[in-house]
Amino acid sequence: MTSARHRWGEPARFPHKTERTCLNGCGITKVGHHQVEDGFARHWTDFWRDGERIVCAATPPCDPFVASCVQIPATTSETS
């Protein structure tokens, strides 16, 4: 089974980065960084979800269902 492809929204441009959020609702934001060090342009891309960086070798899969799931802590009710 293959996952859906991301549909990146309009870019939000900042001085040293560009952010695009997936329009499918998976909650992933693609952050393209661009800096110049020692006369050389450096570019790299990070992926983020819920304020946490996703460590990956390639673009993480787009799965809107996973992003929409809410974890509810289990509670036990004891009656005496």
Coordinates of all heavy atoms in Angstrom, one line a residue:
M1 N 0.8 -1.2 0.0 CA 0.0 0.0 0.0 C 0.9 1.2 0.0 O 1.8 1.3 0.8 CB -0.9 0.0 1.2 CG -1.8 1.1 1.3 SD -2.9 0.8 2.7 CE -3.2 2.5 3.1
T2 N 0.6 2.2 -0.8 CA 1.4 3.4 -0.9 C 0.6 4.5 -0.3 O -0.6 4.5 -0.2 CB 1.7 3.8 -2.4 OG1 0.4 4.0 -3.1 CG2 2.5 2.7 -3.1
S3 N 1.3 5.5 0.2 CA 0.7 6.6 0.9 C 0.5 7.7 -0.2 O 1.0 7.7 -1.2 CB 1.6 7.2 2.0 OG 2.8 7.6 1.5
A4 N -0.4 8.7 0.2 CA -0.7 9.8 -0.7 C 0.6 10.7 -0.8 O 1.4 10.7 0.1 CB -1.9 10.6 -0.1
R5 N 0.7 11.4 -1.9 CA 1.7 12.3 -2.0 C 1.4 13.6 -1.3 O 0.2 14.0 -1.2 CB 2.0 12.6 -3.5 CG 2.6 11.4 -4.2 CD 2.8 11.7 -5.7 NE 3.7 12.8 -5.9 CZ 5.0 12.7 -6.1 NH1 5.6 11.6 -6.0 NH2 5.7 13.8 -6.3
H6 N 2.4 14.3 -0.8 CA 2.1 15.6 -0.2 C 1.7 16.6 -1.2 O 2.2 16.6 -2.4 CB 3.4 16.1 0.5 CG 3.9 15.3 1.7 ND1 3.3 15.4 2.9 CD2 4.9 14.4 1.8 CE1 3.9 14.5 3.7 NE2 4.9 13.9 3.1
R7 N 0.9 17.5 -0.8 CA 0.5 18.7 -1.6 C 1.0 19.9 -0.8 O 0.3 20.3 0.2 CB -1.0 18.8 -1.9 CG -1.5 17.8 -2.8 CD -3.0 18.0 -3.1 NE -3.4 19.1 -2.1 CZ -4.7 19.4 -2.0 NH1 -5.6 18.9 -2.6 NH2 -5.0 20.4 -1.1
W8 N 2.1 20.5 -1.2 CA 2.7 21.6 -0.4 C 2.0 22.9 -0.7 O 1.7 23.2 -1.8 CB 4.2 21.7 -0.7 CG 4.9 20.5 -0.4 CD1 5.6 19.7 -1.2 CD2 5.1 19.9 0.9 NE1 6.2 18.6 -0.6 CE2 5.9 18.7 0.7 CE3 4.7 20.2 2.2 CZ2 6.3 17.9 1.8 CZ3 5.1 19.4 3.3 CH2 5.8 18.2 3.0
G9 N 1.6 23.6 0.4 CA 0.9 24.9 0.3 C 1.9 26.0 -0.2 O 3.0 25.8 -0.5
E10 N 1.4 27.2 -0.2 CA 2.2 28.4 -0.6 C 3.3 28.6 0.4 O 3.1 28.4 1.6 CB 1.3 29.6 -0.6 CG 0.3 29.6 -1.7 CD 1.0 29.6 -3.1 OE1 1.9 30.4 -3.3 OE2 0.5 28.8 -4.0
P11 N 4.4 29.0 0.0 CA 5.6 29.2 0.9 C 5.5 30.4 1.7 O 5.0 31.4 1.3 CB 6.8 29.3 -0.1 CG 6.2 29.8 -1.4 CD 4.8 29.2 -1.4
A12 N 5.9 30.2 3.0 CA 6.1 31.4 3.9 C 7.6 31.6 3.9 O 8.3 30.8 4.4 CB 5.5 31.0 5.3
R13 N 8.0 32.8 3.4 CA 9.4 33.0 3.2 C 10.0 33.9 4.4 O 9.3 34.9 4.8 CB 9.6 33.7 1.9 CG 9.2 32.9 0.7 CD 9.5 33.5 -0.6 NE 8.9 32.8 -1.7 CZ 9.3 31.7 -2.3 NH1 10.4 31.1 -1.8 NH2 8.7 31.2 -3.3
F14 N 11.1 33.5 4.9 CA 11.8 34.2 5.9 C 13.2 34.4 5.4 O 13.6 33.8 4.4 CB 11.8 33.3 7.2 CG 10.5 33.0 7.7 CD1 9.8 31.8 7.4 CD2 9.8 33.9 8.5 CE1 8.6 31.5 7.9 CE2 8.5 33.7 9.0 CZ 7.9 32.5 8.7
P15 N 14.1 35.2 6.1 CA 15.4 35.5 5.6 C 16.3 34.3 5.3 O 17.0 34.3 4.3 CB 16.0 36.4 6.7 CG 14.9 37.0 7.4 CD 13.8 36.0 7.3
H16 N 16.2 33.3 6.1 CA 17.1 32.1 5.8 C 16.4 30.8 5.7 O 17.0 29.7 5.9 CB 18.2 32.0 6.9 CG 19.1 33.2 7.0 ND1 20.0 33.4 6.0 CD2 19.1 34.3 7.8 CE1 20.7 34.6 6.3 NE2 20.1 35.1 7.3
K17 N 15.1 30.8 5.5 CA 14.3 29.6 5.4 C 13.0 29.8 4.7 O 12.5 31.0 4.7 CB 14.1 28.9 6.8 CG 13.1 29.6 7.7 CD 12.9 28.9 9.0 CE 11.9 29.6 9.9 NZ 11.7 28.8 11.1
T18 N 12.4 28.8 4.2 CA 11.1 28.8 3.6 C 10.3 27.6 4.1 O 10.8 26.5 4.2 CB 11.2 28.7 2.0 OG1 12.0 29.7 1.6 CG2 9.8 28.7 1.4
E19 N 9.1 27.9 4.6 CA 8.2 26.9 5.2 C 7.0 26.6 4.3 O 6.4 27.6 3.8 CB 7.8 27.3 6.6 CG 8.9 27.4 7.6 CD 8.4 27.8 8.9 OE1 7.1 27.9 9.1 OE2 9.2 27.9 9.8
R20 N 6.7 25.3 4.1 CA 5.5 24.9 3.4 C 4.8 23.8 4.2 O 5.5 22.9 4.6 CB 5.8 24.4 2.0 CG 6.3 25.4 1.0 CD 6.7 24.7 -0.3 NE 7.2 25.7 -1.2 CZ 6.5 26.0 -2.4 NH1 5.4 25.4 -2.6 NH2 7.0 26.9 -3.2
T21 N 3.5 23.9 4.4 CA 2.8 22.9 5.1 C 1.9 22.1 4.1 O 1.4 22.6 3.2 CB 1.8 23.6 6.1 OG1 2.7 24.4 7.0 CG2 1.1 22.6 7.0
C22 N 1.8 20.8 4.4 CA 1.1 19.9 3.5 C -0.4 20.2 3.6 O -1.0 20.4 4.7 CB 1.3 18.4 3.9 SG 0.4 17.3 2.9
L23 N -1.1 20.3 2.5 CA -2.5 20.7 2.4 C -3.4 19.5 2.6 O -4.6 19.6 2.7 CB -2.8 21.3 1.1 CG -2.1 22.6 0.8 CD1 -2.4 23.1 -0.6 CD2 -2.4 23.7 1.8
N24 N -2.8 18.3 2.7 CA -3.6 17.0 2.8 C -4.0 16.8 4.3 O -4.8 15.9 4.6 CB -2.8 15.8 2.4 CG -2.7 15.8 0.9 OD1 -3.4 16.5 0.1 ND2 -1.7 15.0 0.4
G25 N -3.5 17.6 5.2 CA -3.9 17.5 6.6 C -3.0 16.5 7.4 O -3.4 16.1 8.5
C26 N -1.8 16.1 6.9 CA -1.0 15.2 7.6 C -0.2 15.9 8.7 O 0.4 15.2 9.6 CB 0.0 14.4 6.7 SG 1.3 15.5 6.0
G27 N -0.1 17.2 8.7 CA 0.5 17.9 9.8 C 2.0 18.2 9.6 O 2.7 18.7 10.4
I28 N 2.6 17.8 8.4 CA 4.0 17.9 8.2 C 4.3 19.3 7.6 O 3.6 19.7 6.6 CB 4.5 16.8 7.3 CG1 4.5 15.5 8.1 CG2 6.0 17.1 6.8 CD1 5.0 14.3 7.3
T29 N 5.3 19.9 8.0 CA 5.8 21.2 7.5 C 7.2 20.9 6.9 O 8.1 20.4 7.6 CB 5.8 22.3 8.5 OG1 4.5 22.5 9.0 CG2 6.4 23.6 7.9
K30 N 7.4 21.3 5.7 CA 8.7 21.2 5.0 C 9.4 22.5 5.2 O 8.9 23.6 4.8 CB 8.5 20.9 3.5 CG 9.7 20.8 2.7 CD 9.3 20.6 1.2 CE 10.4 20.5 0.3 NZ 10.0 20.3 -1.1
V31 N 10.6 22.5 5.7 CA 11.4 23.7 5.9 C 12.7 23.6 5.1 O 13.5 22.8 5.4 CB 11.8 23.9 7.4 CG1 12.5 25.2 7.7 CG2 10.5 23.9 8.3
G32 N 12.8 24.5 4.1 CA 14.0 24.6 3.3 C 14.9 25.7 3.9 O 14.5 26.8 4.0
H33 N 16.1 25.3 4.2 CA 17.1 26.3 4.8 C 18.0 26.7 3.7 O 18.4 25.9 2.9 CB 17.9 25.6 5.9 CG 17.0 25.2 7.1 ND1 16.7 26.0 8.1 CD2 16.4 24.0 7.3 CE1 15.9 25.3 9.0 NE2 15.8 24.1 8.5
H34 N 18.4 28.0 3.7 CA 19.4 28.5 2.8 C 20.3 29.5 3.5 O 19.9 30.5 4.0 CB 18.7 29.1 1.5 CG 17.4 29.6 1.8 ND1 16.2 28.8 1.7 CD2 16.9 30.8 2.2 CE1 15.2 29.6 2.0 NE2 15.6 30.8 2.3
Q35 N 21.6 29.2 3.5 CA 22.6 30.0 4.1 C 23.9 30.1 3.3 O 24.1 29.2 2.5 CB 23.0 29.5 5.5 CG 21.8 29.6 6.5 CD 22.3 29.1 7.9 OE1 23.3 28.5 8.1 NE2 21.4 29.3 8.9
V36 N 24.7 31.1 3.5 CA 26.0 31.2 2.8 C 27.0 31.1 3.9 O 27.0 31.9 4.8 CB 26.1 32.5 2.0 CG1 27.4 32.6 1.3 CG2 25.0 32.5 0.9
E37 N 27.9 30.1 3.7 CA 29.1 30.0 4.7 C 30.4 30.0 3.9 O 30.5 29.2 2.9 CB 28.9 28.7 5.5 CG 27.8 28.8 6.5 CD 27.8 27.5 7.4 OE1 28.8 26.7 7.3 OE2 26.8 27.4 8.1
D38 N 31.3 30.8 4.2 CA 32.6 30.9 3.5 C 32.4 31.0 2.0 O 33.2 30.4 1.2 CB 33.4 29.6 3.9 CG 33.7 29.5 5.3 OD1 33.9 30.5 6.0 OD2 33.7 28.4 5.8
G39 N 31.5 31.8 1.6 CA 31.3 32.0 0.2 C 30.5 30.9 -0.6 O 30.3 31.0 -1.8
F40 N 30.1 29.8 0.1 CA 29.4 28.7 -0.5 C 28.0 28.7 0.0 O 27.7 28.8 1.2 CB 30.1 27.4 -0.2 CG 31.5 27.2 -0.7 CD1 32.6 27.5 0.1 CD2 31.7 26.9 -2.0 CE1 33.8 27.3 -0.4 CE2 32.9 26.8 -2.6 CZ 34.0 27.0 -1.7
A41 N 27.0 28.5 -0.9 CA 25.6 28.4 -0.6 C 25.3 27.0 -0.1 O 25.7 26.0 -0.7 CB 24.8 28.7 -1.8
R42 N 24.7 27.0 1.1 CA 24.3 25.7 1.7 C 22.8 25.6 1.7 O 22.1 26.6 2.1 CB 24.8 25.5 3.1 CG 26.3 25.5 3.2 CD 26.8 25.1 4.6 NE 26.1 23.8 5.0 CZ 25.7 23.6 6.2 NH1 25.9 24.4 7.1 NH2 25.1 22.4 6.5
H43 N 22.2 24.5 1.2 CA 20.8 24.3 1.2 C 20.5 22.9 1.8 O 21.2 22.0 1.5 CB 20.2 24.4 -0.2 CG 20.5 25.6 -0.9 ND1 19.8 26.8 -0.7 CD2 21.5 26.0 -1.7 CE1 20.3 27.7 -1.5 NE2 21.3 27.3 -2.1
W44 N 19.5 22.9 2.7 CA 19.0 21.6 3.2 C 17.6 21.7 3.6 O 17.0 22.8 3.7 CB 19.9 21.1 4.4 CG 19.8 21.9 5.6 CD1 19.0 21.5 6.7 CD2 20.4 23.1 6.0 NE1 19.1 22.5 7.7 CE2 20.0 23.4 7.3 CE3 21.3 23.9 5.4 CZ2 20.5 24.6 7.9 CZ3 21.8 25.0 6.0 CH2 21.4 25.4 7.3
T45 N 16.9 20.5 3.8 CA 15.5 20.5 4.1 C 15.3 19.7 5.3 O 15.9 18.6 5.5 CB 14.7 19.8 2.9 OG1 15.0 20.6 1.7 CG2 13.2 19.8 3.1
D46 N 14.4 20.2 6.2 CA 14.0 19.5 7.4 C 12.5 19.3 7.3 O 11.8 20.1 6.6 CB 14.2 20.3 8.7 CG 15.7 20.4 9.0 OD1 16.5 19.5 8.7 OD2 16.0 21.4 9.7
F47 N 11.9 18.3 8.0 CA 10.5 18.1 8.1 C 10.1 18.1 9.5 O 10.8 17.6 10.4 CB 10.1 16.8 7.4 CG 10.4 16.7 6.0 CD1 11.6 16.2 5.5 CD2 9.6 17.2 5.0 CE1 12.0 16.2 4.2 CE2 9.9 17.2 3.7 CZ 11.1 16.7 3.3
W48 N 9.0 18.8 9.8 CA 8.5 19.0 11.2 C 7.0 18.6 11.3 O 6.3 18.8 10.4 CB 8.7 20.4 11.6 CG 10.1 20.9 11.7 CD1 10.9 21.2 10.6 CD2 10.9 21.0 12.8 NE1 12.2 21.5 11.1 CE2 12.2 21.5 12.4 CE3 10.7 20.9 14.2 CZ2 13.2 21.7 13.3 CZ3 11.7 21.1 15.1 CH2 12.9 21.6 14.6
R49 N 6.7 18.1 12.5 CA 5.2 17.8 12.8 C 5.1 18.1 14.3 O 5.8 17.6 15.1 CB 4.8 16.4 12.5 CG 3.4 16.2 12.9 CD 2.9 14.7 12.7 NE 2.8 14.4 11.3 CZ 3.2 13.3 10.8 NH1 3.8 12.3 11.5 NH2 3.0 13.0 9.5
D50 N 4.1 18.9 14.6 CA 3.8 19.3 16.0 C 5.0 19.8 16.8 O 5.2 19.4 18.0 CB 3.2 18.1 16.8 CG 1.9 17.6 16.1 OD1 1.1 18.4 15.6 OD2 1.6 16.4 16.2
G51 N 5.8 20.6 16.2 CA 6.9 21.2 16.8 C 8.1 20.3 17.0 O 9.1 20.7 17.7
E52 N 8.1 19.1 16.5 CA 9.2 18.1 16.6 C 9.7 17.8 15.2 O 9.0 17.6 14.3 CB 8.7 16.8 17.3 CG 8.3 17.0 18.7 CD 8.0 15.7 19.4 OE1 8.5 14.7 18.9 OE2 7.3 15.7 20.4
R53 N 11.1 17.8 15.1 CA 11.7 17.5 13.9 C 11.6 16.0 13.6 O 11.8 15.2 14.5 CB 13.2 17.9 14.0 CG 13.9 17.7 12.7 CD 15.3 18.3 12.7 NE 16.1 17.9 11.5 CZ 17.0 17.0 11.4 NH1 17.4 16.4 12.5 NH2 17.6 16.8 10.3
I54 N 11.3 15.7 12.3 CA 11.2 14.3 11.9 C 12.6 13.9 11.3 O 13.0 14.5 10.3 CB 10.1 14.1 10.9 CG1 8.7 14.5 11.5 CG2 10.1 12.7 10.4 CD1 7.6 14.6 10.5
V55 N 13.2 13.0 11.9 CA 14.5 12.5 11.4 C 14.3 11.5 10.3 O 13.7 10.4 10.6 CB 15.4 12.0 12.5 CG1 16.7 11.5 12.0 CG2 15.6 13.0 13.6
C56 N 14.7 11.8 9.1 CA 14.5 10.9 8.0 C 15.5 11.1 6.9 O 16.1 12.2 6.8 CB 13.1 11.1 7.4 SG 12.7 12.8 7.0
A57 N 15.7 10.1 6.0 CA 16.6 10.2 4.9 C 15.9 10.8 3.7 O 16.6 11.3 2.8 CB 17.2 8.8 4.6
A58 N 14.6 10.6 3.6 CA 13.8 11.1 2.5 C 12.6 11.8 3.0 O 12.3 11.8 4.2 CB 13.5 10.0 1.5
T59 N 11.7 12.3 2.1 CA 10.5 12.9 2.5 C 9.6 11.9 3.3 O 9.4 10.8 2.7 CB 9.7 13.4 1.3 OG1 10.6 14.3 0.6 CG2 8.4 14.1 1.7
P60 N 9.2 12.2 4.5 CA 8.3 11.2 5.2 C 7.0 11.0 4.5 O 6.5 11.9 3.8 CB 8.1 11.8 6.6 CG 8.5 13.2 6.4 CD 9.4 13.4 5.3
P61 N 6.3 9.9 4.6 CA 5.1 9.6 3.9 C 4.0 10.6 4.4 O 4.0 11.0 5.6 CB 4.7 8.2 4.3 CG 5.5 7.9 5.5 CD 6.7 8.7 5.5
C62 N 3.0 10.8 3.5 CA 1.9 11.7 3.9 C 0.8 10.7 4.3 O 0.3 9.9 3.6 CB 1.4 12.4 2.6 SG 0.0 13.5 2.9
D63 N 0.4 10.9 5.6 CA -0.7 10.0 6.1 C -1.6 10.9 7.0 O -1.4 11.0 8.2 CB -0.1 8.9 6.9 CG -1.0 7.8 7.2 OD1 -2.3 8.0 7.0 OD2 -0.6 6.7 7.7
P64 N -2.6 11.5 6.4 CA -3.5 12.4 7.1 C -4.2 11.7 8.3 O -4.4 12.3 9.3 CB -4.5 12.8 6.1 CG -3.9 12.6 4.8 CD -2.9 11.5 5.0
F65 N -4.4 10.4 8.2 CA -5.1 9.7 9.3 C -4.3 9.7 10.6 O -4.8 9.9 11.7 CB -5.5 8.2 8.9 CG -6.1 7.5 10.1 CD1 -7.4 7.7 10.4 CD2 -5.4 6.5 10.8 CE1 -8.0 7.0 11.5 CE2 -5.9 5.8 11.8 CZ -7.2 6.1 12.2
V66 N -3.0 9.4 10.5 CA -2.1 9.4 11.6 C -2.0 10.7 12.3 O -2.1 10.8 13.5 CB -0.7 8.9 11.2 CG1 0.3 9.0 12.3 CG2 -0.7 7.5 10.7
A67 N -2.0 11.8 11.5 CA -1.9 13.1 12.1 C -3.2 13.5 12.8 O -3.2 14.3 13.7 CB -1.5 14.1 11.0
S68 N -4.3 13.0 12.4 CA -5.6 13.4 12.9 C -6.0 12.5 14.2 O -6.9 12.9 14.9 CB -6.7 13.3 11.9 OG -6.9 11.9 11.5
C69 N -5.2 11.5 14.5 CA -5.5 10.7 15.6 C -5.1 11.4 16.9 O -4.1 12.0 17.0 CB -4.7 9.3 15.6 SG -5.3 8.3 14.3
V70 N -5.9 11.3 17.9 CA -5.7 12.0 19.2 C -5.4 10.8 20.2 O -6.2 9.9 20.3 CB -6.8 12.9 19.6 CG1 -6.6 13.4 21.0 CG2 -7.1 13.9 18.6
Q71 N -4.3 10.9 20.9 CA -4.1 9.9 21.9 C -4.7 10.3 23.2 O -4.5 11.4 23.7 CB -2.6 9.8 22.1 CG -1.9 9.2 20.9 CD -0.4 9.0 21.2 OE1 0.1 9.5 22.2 NE2 0.3 8.3 20.3
I72 N -5.6 9.5 23.7 CA -6.3 9.7 24.9 C -5.8 8.8 26.0 O -5.7 7.6 25.8 CB -7.8 9.5 24.7 CG1 -8.4 10.5 23.6 CG2 -8.6 9.7 26.0 CD1 -9.8 10.2 23.3
P73 N -5.3 9.3 27.1 CA -4.7 8.5 28.1 C -5.8 7.5 28.7 O -6.9 7.9 28.9 CB -4.2 9.4 29.1 CG -4.7 10.7 28.9 CD -5.2 10.7 27.4
A74 N -5.4 6.3 28.9 CA -6.3 5.3 29.5 C -6.5 5.6 30.9 O -5.6 6.0 31.7 CB -5.7 3.9 29.3
T75 N -7.7 5.6 31.3 CA -8.0 5.8 32.7 C -8.8 4.6 33.3 O -9.5 3.9 32.5 CB -8.9 7.0 32.9 OG1 -10.1 6.8 32.2 CG2 -8.2 8.3 32.5
T76 N -8.5 4.3 34.5 CA -9.2 3.2 35.1 C -10.1 3.8 36.2 O -9.7 4.6 37.0 CB -8.3 2.2 35.7 OG1 -7.4 2.8 36.7 CG2 -7.4 1.5 34.6
S77 N -11.3 3.3 36.3 CA -12.2 3.7 37.3 C -12.5 2.5 38.2 O -12.9 1.5 37.8 CB -13.5 4.3 36.8 OG -14.2 3.3 36.0
E78 N -12.2 2.7 39.5 CA -12.4 1.6 40.4 C -13.6 1.9 41.3 O -13.7 3.0 41.8 CB -11.2 1.4 41.3 CG -9.9 0.9 40.5 CD -8.8 0.7 41.4 OE1 -9.0 0.4 42.6 OE2 -7.6 0.8 40.9
T79 N -14.5 1.0 41.4 CA -15.7 1.2 42.3 C -15.5 0.3 43.5 O -15.1 -0.8 43.4 CB -17.0 0.9 41.5 OG1 -16.9 -0.5 41.0 CG2 -17.2 1.8 40.4
S80 N -15.8 0.9 44.6 CA -15.6 0.1 45.8 C -17.0 -0.4 46.3 O -17.9 0.3 46.3 CB -14.9 0.9 46.9 OG -13.7 1.3 46.4

